[in-house]
Amino acid sequence: MESKLVIYNTLTRQKERFEPLHAPNVGMYVCGPTVYGDPHLGHARPAITFDLVFRYLKHLGYKVRYVRNITDVGHLEHDADEGEDKIAKKARLEQLEPMEIAQYYTNRYHQAMDALNVLRPSIEPHATGHIIEQQQLVQQIIDNGFAYESNGSIYFDIEAYNKKFQYGILSGRSLENIKDESRELAGIGEKKNQADFALWKKAQPEHIMRWPSPWSDGFPGWHCECTAMGRKYLGEEFDIHGGGMDLVFPHHECEIAQAQASMGHPAVKYWMHNNMLTINGQKMGKSYNNFITLEQFFTGNHPLLEKAYSPMTIRFFVLSAHYRGTVDFSNEALQAAEKGLEKLMNAISDLERVQTSAACDAETEKVVKDLRQKCYDAMNDDFATPQVLSNLFEACTVVNKLVDHKATICADCLKELKEVMHLFAFDILGLRSQESGDSSQAREEAFGKVVDMVLELRAKAKANKDWATSDQIRDELAAAGFEVKDTKDGVTWKLNK
């Protein structure tokens, strides 16, 4: 199939037409969470970003195998190569098995992602379930001359690799710069070069997560899991690898080197990275005392939050900025997102009350006929969701005019408007009304019938010239939040939320 989709490739630093290696099949790998704590706002952005990519590629007709890993071993507390395993540390402090910690926070992550309407990936492999594949990867790198053993640990030899390939191709860093920036770490004496990174670490006696290997009882380096699992489930070459911008260096840089060193060729065609979320201009982190979990957003239980924000408000907030742009959290920004979401959802709901005419007015006809293509053009331009939302808001203005009988629309255009707004708002952007499902729809239908019945009683009162009853019904509805309008075509109403 011919693709009109253009995406920004972090590797080449330019936009490129999306041409899958084996169309219509698409392989996509995204770095998932390290499951040692509650999911936070920083987890939401990559999850929503690549959920959008997943949804849109499927909509375009591609058969997507989406792999998102769970890191449950090897991510160390102080550095990629040194310190205590984050999950093991949590297990020690809470006197639980490490896999109890991993399972608990994996469940918490899934619950948060479900609330955000993030689709589950095709495959969700765990690092601990692929120790053999990681050991095989390490052995291949050793056999090809790009790794060495030191005191039972295996390190990637960056200088040896750089003589044949280029380390730093993704981040744009030179080897000399990387050497200069490398921190002095405990255990540096094991390495030939302080910039070399661990492929396998020998476990110290107190380390509770360990596996036997040809080199020592130990555990894989953090970078190995994605390379090994991506290759296992997507093949030696696949289309998209994604994650947050903070993973460009060292994690994804190391992945590129591992793939090249083990196979002799790159594994990934397109590298995609979402930018970071900040809070009041500052990076989010526990050390800054501005760390907010998703559950705290949903409940409002955090001193930096003025109120609770729904999962769909969070999703709308993330989508209101381009995925490669920075997003700064503030209560004002989230409240603006809340209003924007409400405006869009109200307009889509109001479409059910729009009355058709024999013909459209010129403005309405133009907006409706251009809407679908404008939304596609925005999505095809590197997933420009802010422009998609802008197009949908233009349609919302038309809907409001139609409800107020300030514009006219024919039946065909109304059908098109409904289809396009539902397609892009719900199917592609993944938004949903705060209440969804058959039960919600049934309640809304019953609710509408009750209001219509009350208005029918008011109409009878007016017909009988019972102005007192008519006015009382109108005033009671207004007090309850309903706006009732008497027009030449009849009575209209809406609920002011």
Side-chain angles (χ1 to χ4, degrees):
M1 66 179 69
E2 182 181 355
S3 174
K4 296 181 180 180
L5 174 62
V6 174
I7 63 177
Y8 184 85
N9 190 345
T10 310
L11 184 64
T12 60
R13 296 168 180 79
Q14 62 185 7
K15 290 182 180 180
E16 299 178 7
R17 187 172 298 279
F18 181 65
E19 297 176 341
L21 294 165
H22 308 290
N25 298 307
V26 172
M28 181 170 78
Y29 190 102
V30 174
C31 291
T34 302
V35 285
Y36 72 102
D38 274 331
H40 53 75
L41 193 60
H43 289 119
R45 194 171 194 195
I48 292 170
T49 294
F50 292 102
D51 180 62
L52 174 79
V53 175
F54 185 33
R55 287 170 180 270
Y56 192 58
L57 290 177
K58 290 199 301 179
H59 170 71
L60 292 179
Y62 293 109
K63 184 179 180 181
V64 185
R65 177 175 288 176
Y66 174 20
V67 181
R68 185 184 67 204
N69 70 294
I70 295 290
T71 298
D72 53 3
V73 68
H75 202 165
L76 305 186
E77 189 69 28
H78 301 124
D79 183 81
D81 294 343
E82 302 297 333
E84 189 173 4
D85 185 285
K86 292 181 178 181
I87 293 174
K89 179 180 179 180
K90 191 86 170 180
R92 176 175 57 79
L93 292 174
E94 298 189 14
Q95 297 184 328
L96 296 171
E97 284 292 324
M99 288 303 98
E100 284 185 89
I101 296 294
Q103 188 63 59
Y104 176 79
Y105 287 111
T106 297
N107 293 344
R108 300 278 286 178
Y109 178 77
H110 286 156
Q111 290 164 5
M113 294 305 105
D114 290 345
L116 292 169
N117 202 25
V118 170
L119 301 176
R120 296 291 177 94
S122 313
I123 304 173
E124 192 173 55
H126 291 233
T128 53
H130 297 78
I131 300 297
I132 292 175
E133 288 83 357
Q134 293 178 76
Q135 290 180 352
Q136 290 171 341
L137 171 69
V138 174
Q139 189 61 58
Q140 286 178 321
I141 296 173
I142 294 172
D143 294 343
N144 291 340
F146 299 112
Y148 57 91
E149 181 178 356
S150 178
N151 297 327
S153 294
I154 307 296
Y155 293 98
F156 190 94
D157 192 332
I158 289 182
E159 285 196 338
Y161 175 83
N162 208 53
K163 289 177 182 178
K164 186 172 181 180
F165 304 107
Q166 180 185 348
Y167 186 79
I169 190 171
L170 184 66
S171 61
R173 304 185 185 197
S174 69
L175 182 58
E176 290 306 313
N177 286 339
I178 293 169
K179 288 180 181 179
D180 292 341
E181 292 172 5
S182 297
R183 295 184 296 151
E184 292 291 341
L185 301 170
I188 196 71
E190 291 186 348
K191 302 180 181 181
K192 292 181 180 179
N193 186 305
Q194 63 180 4
D196 293 347
F197 59 90
L199 299 172
W200 184 265
K201 285 289 292 182
K202 180 180 179 180
Q204 297 302 311
E206 67 275 9
H207 201 99
I208 57 179
M209 300 179 76
R210 61 174 69 212
W211 291 263
S213 79
W215 318 290
S216 64
D217 279 4
F219 53 92
W222 171 41
H223 310 305
C224 288
E225 61 180 284
C226 294
T227 305
M229 294 189 293
R231 183 169 68 179
K232 177 178 177 66
Y233 295 111
L234 299 175
E236 290 195 354
E237 294 178 285
F238 57 92
D239 298 294
I240 297 173
H241 196 316
M245 193 72 74
D246 57 327
L247 297 179
V248 169
F249 186 88
H251 186 48
H252 288 165
E253 197 74 77
C254 294
E255 280 196 60
I256 289 176
Q258 290 170 162
Q260 191 90 50
S262 62
M263 301 184 296
H265 61 78
V268 179
K269 186 174 182 180
Y270 304 99
W271 286 88
M272 293 183 66
H273 295 89
N274 63 273
N275 215 321
M276 296 295 99
L277 282 162
T278 56
I279 296 184
N280 297 324
Q282 189 178 50
K283 182 180 178 181
M284 184 176 67
K286 292 181 179 178
S287 59
Y288 297 111
N289 198 32
N290 63 1
F291 186 83
I292 308 177
T293 69
L294 289 173
E295 183 180 22
Q296 288 171 327
F297 274 104
F298 301 160
T299 61
N301 186 25
H302 191 280
L304 290 178
L305 297 174
E306 293 179 2
K307 54 178 288 188
Y309 297 99
S310 72
M312 283 303 100
T313 297
I314 301 296
R315 186 176 181 105
F316 189 96
F317 169 69
V318 170
L319 293 172
S320 63
H322 191 272
Y323 77 91
R324 288 192 289 111
T326 56
V327 176
D328 186 52
F329 155 80
S330 66
N331 282 282
E332 292 77 13
L334 274 178
Q335 287 163 21
E338 188 174 57
K339 290 179 180 178
L341 175 65
E342 182 180 21
K343 177 180 178 180
L344 180 57
M345 293 298 107
N346 283 345
I348 292 175
S349 176
D350 285 345
L351 280 169
E352 300 305 318
R353 300 194 292 115
V354 169
Q355 298 176 1
T356 59
S357 301
C360 300
D361 64 85
E363 181 184 359
T364 298
E365 184 175 23
K366 178 170 175 51
V367 170
V368 173
K369 289 190 173 181
D370 292 347
L371 182 60
R372 186 184 294 266
Q373 191 58 53
K374 287 169 70 174
C375 288
Y376 274 125
D377 289 345
M379 286 299 296
N380 287 334
D381 184 15
D382 195 29
F383 308 98
T385 54
Q387 187 57 50
V388 175
L389 289 171
S390 177
N391 296 333
L392 293 177
F393 283 143
E394 185 179 8
C396 291
T397 301
V398 169
V399 174
N400 291 336
K401 289 182 179 180
L402 291 168
V403 170
D404 291 338
H405 301 286
K406 296 178 180 179
T408 58
I409 189 168
C410 67
D412 287 344
C413 283
L414 179 59
K415 179 182 178 184
E416 170 71 1
L417 185 57
K418 287 181 179 179
E419 287 181 356
V420 175
M421 293 190 76
H422 278 79
L423 169 64
F424 283 93
F426 298 143
D427 298 345
I428 293 175
L429 296 185
L431 298 168
R432 62 187 177 197
S433 59
Q434 299 306 310
E435 284 190 314
S436 60
D438 295 339
S439 60
S440 173
Q441 183 178 354
R443 283 195 296 272
E444 288 180 3
E445 290 176 355
F447 183 74
K449 289 179 180 179
V450 170
V451 176
D452 289 339
M453 182 180 67
V454 172
L455 289 175
E456 187 176 339
L457 292 174
R458 178 172 177 264
K460 288 181 179 179
K462 289 180 68 176
N464 294 329
K465 297 185 179 182
D466 184 358
W467 310 119
T469 301
S470 172
D471 291 345
Q472 183 183 5
I473 292 173
R474 181 199 60 204
D475 294 343
E476 291 290 345
L477 286 172
F482 293 92
E483 182 180 337
V484 177
K485 287 187 178 181
D486 293 304
T487 71
K488 63 181 181 179
D489 297 317
V491 181
T492 65
W493 64 269
K494 68 177 180 179
L495 177 61
N496 294 320
K497 297 181 180 179

